[in-house]
Short mmCIF file of all heavy atoms in Angstrom, two decimals:
data_model
loop_
_atom_site.label_atom_id
_atom_site.label_comp_id
_atom_site.label_asym_id
_atom_site.label_seq_id
_atom_site.Cartn_x
_atom_site.Cartn_y
_atom_site.Cartn_z
N VAL A 1 150.45 170.72 169.81
CA VAL A 1 151.82 171.16 169.51
C VAL A 1 151.92 172.68 169.62
O VAL A 1 152.92 173.21 170.12
CB VAL A 1 152.26 170.68 168.11
CG1 VAL A 1 153.68 171.16 167.80
CG2 VAL A 1 152.21 169.16 168.03
N ILE A 2 150.88 173.38 169.18
CA ILE A 2 150.86 174.84 169.34
C ILE A 2 150.97 175.22 170.80
O ILE A 2 151.78 176.08 171.19
CB ILE A 2 149.58 175.43 168.72
CG1 ILE A 2 149.60 175.29 167.19
CG2 ILE A 2 149.40 176.91 169.11
CD1 ILE A 2 148.32 175.72 166.51
N HIS A 3 150.19 174.57 171.64
CA HIS A 3 150.23 174.88 173.07
C HIS A 3 151.56 174.47 173.70
O HIS A 3 152.07 175.16 174.59
CB HIS A 3 149.06 174.21 173.78
CG HIS A 3 147.72 174.78 173.42
ND1 HIS A 3 147.46 176.14 173.39
CD2 HIS A 3 146.56 174.18 173.04
CE1 HIS A 3 146.21 176.36 173.02
NE2 HIS A 3 145.64 175.18 172.81
N ALA A 4 152.10 173.34 173.24
CA ALA A 4 153.40 172.90 173.77
C ALA A 4 154.49 173.92 173.45
O ALA A 4 155.32 174.25 174.29
CB ALA A 4 153.76 171.53 173.20
N TYR A 5 154.47 174.43 172.22
CA TYR A 5 155.48 175.42 171.85
C TYR A 5 155.28 176.71 172.63
O TYR A 5 156.25 177.33 173.09
CB TYR A 5 155.45 175.71 170.35
CG TYR A 5 156.74 176.37 169.89
CD1 TYR A 5 157.80 175.59 169.44
CD2 TYR A 5 156.91 177.75 169.96
CE1 TYR A 5 159.00 176.19 169.06
CE2 TYR A 5 158.10 178.35 169.59
CZ TYR A 5 159.14 177.56 169.14
OH TYR A 5 160.34 178.15 168.79
N ALA A 6 154.03 177.10 172.82
CA ALA A 6 153.76 178.31 173.60
C ALA A 6 154.27 178.16 175.02
O ALA A 6 154.69 179.13 175.66
CB ALA A 6 152.25 178.59 173.61
N ASP A 7 154.28 176.93 175.51
CA ASP A 7 154.71 176.67 176.89
C ASP A 7 156.23 176.56 177.02
O ASP A 7 156.82 177.16 177.93
CB ASP A 7 154.06 175.38 177.40
CG ASP A 7 154.49 175.04 178.81
OD1 ASP A 7 154.10 175.79 179.73
OD2 ASP A 7 155.21 174.04 179.00
N HIS A 8 156.88 175.80 176.15
CA HIS A 8 158.31 175.55 176.36
C HIS A 8 159.14 175.50 175.08
O HIS A 8 160.26 175.00 175.08
CB HIS A 8 158.50 174.24 177.14
CG HIS A 8 157.80 173.05 176.51
ND1 HIS A 8 156.55 172.65 176.90
CD2 HIS A 8 158.17 172.20 175.53
CE1 HIS A 8 156.18 171.60 176.19
NE2 HIS A 8 157.16 171.31 175.35
N GLY A 9 158.60 176.02 173.98
CA GLY A 9 159.39 176.06 172.76
C GLY A 9 160.55 177.05 172.86
O GLY A 9 160.46 178.06 173.57
N GLU A 10 161.62 176.74 172.15
CA GLU A 10 162.79 177.61 172.15
C GLU A 10 163.01 178.13 170.73
O GLU A 10 163.33 177.37 169.82
CB GLU A 10 164.03 176.86 172.63
CG GLU A 10 163.93 176.38 174.07
CD GLU A 10 165.17 175.62 174.52
OE1 GLU A 10 166.15 175.55 173.73
OE2 GLU A 10 165.15 175.08 175.64
N THR A 11 162.82 179.42 170.55
CA THR A 11 162.99 180.04 169.24
C THR A 11 164.42 180.55 169.11
O THR A 11 164.80 181.52 169.76
CB THR A 11 162.00 181.20 169.04
OG1 THR A 11 160.67 180.72 169.21
CG2 THR A 11 162.15 181.80 167.65
N ARG A 12 165.18 179.85 168.30
CA ARG A 12 166.55 180.29 168.00
C ARG A 12 166.57 180.89 166.60
O ARG A 12 165.73 180.61 165.78
CB ARG A 12 167.51 179.10 168.08
CG ARG A 12 167.71 178.56 169.49
CD ARG A 12 168.35 177.19 169.46
NE ARG A 12 167.38 176.15 169.12
CZ ARG A 12 167.68 175.05 168.47
NH1 ARG A 12 168.90 174.86 168.00
NH2 ARG A 12 166.75 174.14 168.23
N ALA A 13 167.56 181.72 166.36
CA ALA A 13 167.71 182.29 165.01
C ALA A 13 167.93 181.13 164.05
O ALA A 13 168.56 180.14 164.38
CB ALA A 13 168.88 183.25 164.98
N ASP A 14 167.37 181.28 162.85
CA ASP A 14 167.47 180.32 161.75
C ASP A 14 168.22 179.02 162.08
O ASP A 14 169.43 178.98 162.20
CB ASP A 14 168.16 181.02 160.58
CG ASP A 14 168.01 180.25 159.28
OD1 ASP A 14 167.81 179.03 159.33
OD2 ASP A 14 168.10 180.88 158.22
N THR A 15 167.45 177.95 162.25
CA THR A 15 168.05 176.65 162.58
C THR A 15 168.22 175.77 161.34
O THR A 15 168.50 174.57 161.46
CB THR A 15 167.17 175.90 163.60
OG1 THR A 15 165.84 175.77 163.09
CG2 THR A 15 167.13 176.63 164.94
N ILE A 16 168.07 176.35 160.16
CA ILE A 16 168.13 175.56 158.93
C ILE A 16 169.34 175.89 158.06
O ILE A 16 170.12 175.01 157.70
CB ILE A 16 166.84 175.74 158.10
CG1 ILE A 16 165.63 175.18 158.86
CG2 ILE A 16 166.97 175.04 156.75
CD1 ILE A 16 164.31 175.30 158.10
N THR A 17 169.51 177.16 157.70
CA THR A 17 170.47 177.48 156.65
C THR A 17 171.91 177.18 157.01
O THR A 17 172.74 176.98 156.12
CB THR A 17 170.36 178.96 156.22
OG1 THR A 17 170.50 179.79 157.38
CG2 THR A 17 169.02 179.24 155.57
N GLY A 18 172.23 177.11 158.28
CA GLY A 18 173.60 176.76 158.64
C GLY A 18 173.82 175.28 158.81
O GLY A 18 174.93 174.85 159.20
N ALA A 19 172.80 174.48 158.51
CA ALA A 19 172.86 173.04 158.81
C ALA A 19 172.93 172.16 157.58
O ALA A 19 172.81 170.94 157.68
CB ALA A 19 171.64 172.65 159.65
N TYR A 20 173.15 172.74 156.42
CA TYR A 20 173.10 171.95 155.19
C TYR A 20 174.17 170.86 155.15
O TYR A 20 173.89 169.71 154.77
CB TYR A 20 173.24 172.85 153.96
CG TYR A 20 172.15 173.88 153.81
CD1 TYR A 20 172.43 175.12 153.24
CD2 TYR A 20 170.84 173.63 154.23
CE1 TYR A 20 171.43 176.08 153.09
CE2 TYR A 20 169.85 174.58 154.08
CZ TYR A 20 170.15 175.81 153.53
OH TYR A 20 169.17 176.76 153.37
N ASP A 21 175.39 171.19 155.51
CA ASP A 21 176.46 170.19 155.47
C ASP A 21 176.19 169.06 156.46
O ASP A 21 176.41 167.89 156.15
CB ASP A 21 177.81 170.84 155.76
CG ASP A 21 178.30 171.71 154.62
OD1 ASP A 21 177.79 171.55 153.49
OD2 ASP A 21 179.19 172.56 154.85
N ALA A 22 175.72 169.42 157.64
CA ALA A 22 175.40 168.39 158.64
C ALA A 22 174.26 167.50 158.15
O ALA A 22 174.26 166.28 158.38
CB ALA A 22 175.01 169.05 159.97
N ALA A 23 173.29 168.10 157.46
CA ALA A 23 172.17 167.31 156.92
C ALA A 23 172.65 166.34 155.85
O ALA A 23 172.23 165.18 155.81
CB ALA A 23 171.11 168.25 156.34
N ARG A 24 173.56 166.81 154.99
CA ARG A 24 174.11 165.90 153.98
C ARG A 24 174.90 164.76 154.63
O ARG A 24 174.87 163.62 154.14
CB ARG A 24 174.99 166.69 152.99
CG ARG A 24 174.20 167.35 151.89
CD ARG A 24 175.10 167.96 150.83
NE ARG A 24 175.57 169.28 151.26
CZ ARG A 24 174.89 170.41 151.05
NH1 ARG A 24 173.73 170.38 150.43
NH2 ARG A 24 175.38 171.56 151.45
N ALA A 25 175.56 165.06 155.72
CA ALA A 25 176.31 164.02 156.44
C ALA A 25 175.36 162.97 157.00
O ALA A 25 175.68 161.77 157.00
CB ALA A 25 177.14 164.65 157.56
N VAL A 26 174.19 163.39 157.48
CA VAL A 26 173.19 162.44 157.97
C VAL A 26 172.76 161.51 156.85
O VAL A 26 172.68 160.28 157.04
CB VAL A 26 171.97 163.18 158.56
CG1 VAL A 26 170.82 162.20 158.81
CG2 VAL A 26 172.34 163.89 159.84
N PHE A 27 172.52 162.05 155.66
CA PHE A 27 172.12 161.23 154.53
C PHE A 27 173.23 160.24 154.15
O PHE A 27 172.95 159.07 153.84
CB PHE A 27 171.77 162.12 153.33
CG PHE A 27 170.32 162.50 153.27
CD1 PHE A 27 169.68 163.04 154.38
CD2 PHE A 27 169.58 162.31 152.12
CE1 PHE A 27 168.34 163.40 154.33
CE2 PHE A 27 168.24 162.65 152.06
CZ PHE A 27 167.61 163.21 153.17
N ALA A 28 174.47 160.69 154.20
CA ALA A 28 175.59 159.79 153.88
C ALA A 28 175.68 158.68 154.91
O ALA A 28 175.92 157.50 154.56
CB ALA A 28 176.89 160.59 153.84
N ASP A 29 175.47 159.01 156.18
CA ASP A 29 175.52 158.00 157.23
C ASP A 29 174.37 157.00 157.10
O ASP A 29 174.57 155.78 157.32
CB ASP A 29 175.46 158.67 158.61
CG ASP A 29 176.73 159.44 158.94
OD1 ASP A 29 177.77 159.19 158.28
OD2 ASP A 29 176.69 160.30 159.85
N LEU A 30 173.20 157.48 156.73
CA LEU A 30 172.06 156.57 156.53
C LEU A 30 172.35 155.59 155.40
O LEU A 30 172.06 154.39 155.52
CB LEU A 30 170.79 157.38 156.22
CG LEU A 30 170.19 158.15 157.39
CD1 LEU A 30 169.13 159.13 156.89
CD2 LEU A 30 169.59 157.20 158.42
N GLU A 31 172.93 156.10 154.34
CA GLU A 31 173.28 155.23 153.22
C GLU A 31 174.33 154.20 153.63
O GLU A 31 174.26 153.03 153.24
CB GLU A 31 173.81 156.07 152.05
CG GLU A 31 174.13 155.25 150.80
CD GLU A 31 174.65 156.10 149.66
OE1 GLU A 31 174.85 157.31 149.86
OE2 GLU A 31 174.86 155.54 148.56
N SER A 32 175.27 154.63 154.45
CA SER A 32 176.37 153.74 154.85
C SER A 32 175.89 152.57 155.71
O SER A 32 176.49 151.50 155.69
CB SER A 32 177.45 154.52 155.60
OG SER A 32 177.00 154.91 156.89
N VAL A 33 174.79 152.76 156.45
CA VAL A 33 174.28 151.66 157.28
C VAL A 33 173.22 150.85 156.55
O VAL A 33 172.69 149.87 157.11
CB VAL A 33 173.73 152.17 158.62
CG1 VAL A 33 174.82 152.86 159.43
CG2 VAL A 33 172.51 153.07 158.43
N GLY A 34 172.88 151.25 155.31
CA GLY A 34 171.97 150.44 154.52
C GLY A 34 170.55 150.95 154.39
O GLY A 34 169.65 150.20 153.96
N VAL A 35 170.30 152.22 154.72
CA VAL A 35 168.96 152.78 154.54
C VAL A 35 168.85 153.38 153.14
O VAL A 35 169.61 154.28 152.77
CB VAL A 35 168.66 153.87 155.59
CG1 VAL A 35 167.31 154.53 155.30
CG2 VAL A 35 168.65 153.27 156.99
N ASP A 36 167.92 152.87 152.36
CA ASP A 36 167.68 153.35 151.00
C ASP A 36 166.64 154.46 151.06
O ASP A 36 165.44 154.20 151.13
CB ASP A 36 167.19 152.19 150.13
CG ASP A 36 166.98 152.57 148.67
OD1 ASP A 36 166.96 153.78 148.37
OD2 ASP A 36 166.81 151.67 147.84
N MET A 37 167.09 155.72 151.03
CA MET A 37 166.16 156.84 151.18
C MET A 37 165.18 156.94 150.01
O MET A 37 164.04 157.37 150.19
CB MET A 37 166.93 158.15 151.35
CG MET A 37 167.54 158.34 152.74
SD MET A 37 166.31 158.28 154.08
CE MET A 37 165.32 159.73 153.72
N ALA A 38 165.60 156.55 148.82
CA ALA A 38 164.68 156.58 147.68
C ALA A 38 163.50 155.64 147.93
O ALA A 38 162.34 155.97 147.62
CB ALA A 38 165.41 156.19 146.40
#
């Protein structure tokens, strides 16, 4: 994986902190289709 990233990884500015709402939406969608995350 280290070598793969060195070859073709794409480093974008912070890919986490702006994604919290979208992440919560994923959890809501998983629950709606019947996936019990607990």
Side-chain angles (χ1 to χ4, degrees):
V1 179
I2 291 174
H3 292 312
Y5 198 91
D7 179 68
H8 54 265
E10 296 179 5
T11 303
R12 291 165 282 148
D14 195 335
T15 56
I16 296 181
T17 55
Y20 299 147
D21 289 342
R24 276 187 278 273
V26 168
F27 269 50
D29 290 342
L30 288 168
E31 183 180 5
S32 71
V33 299
V35 174
D36 183 346
M37 283 303 295

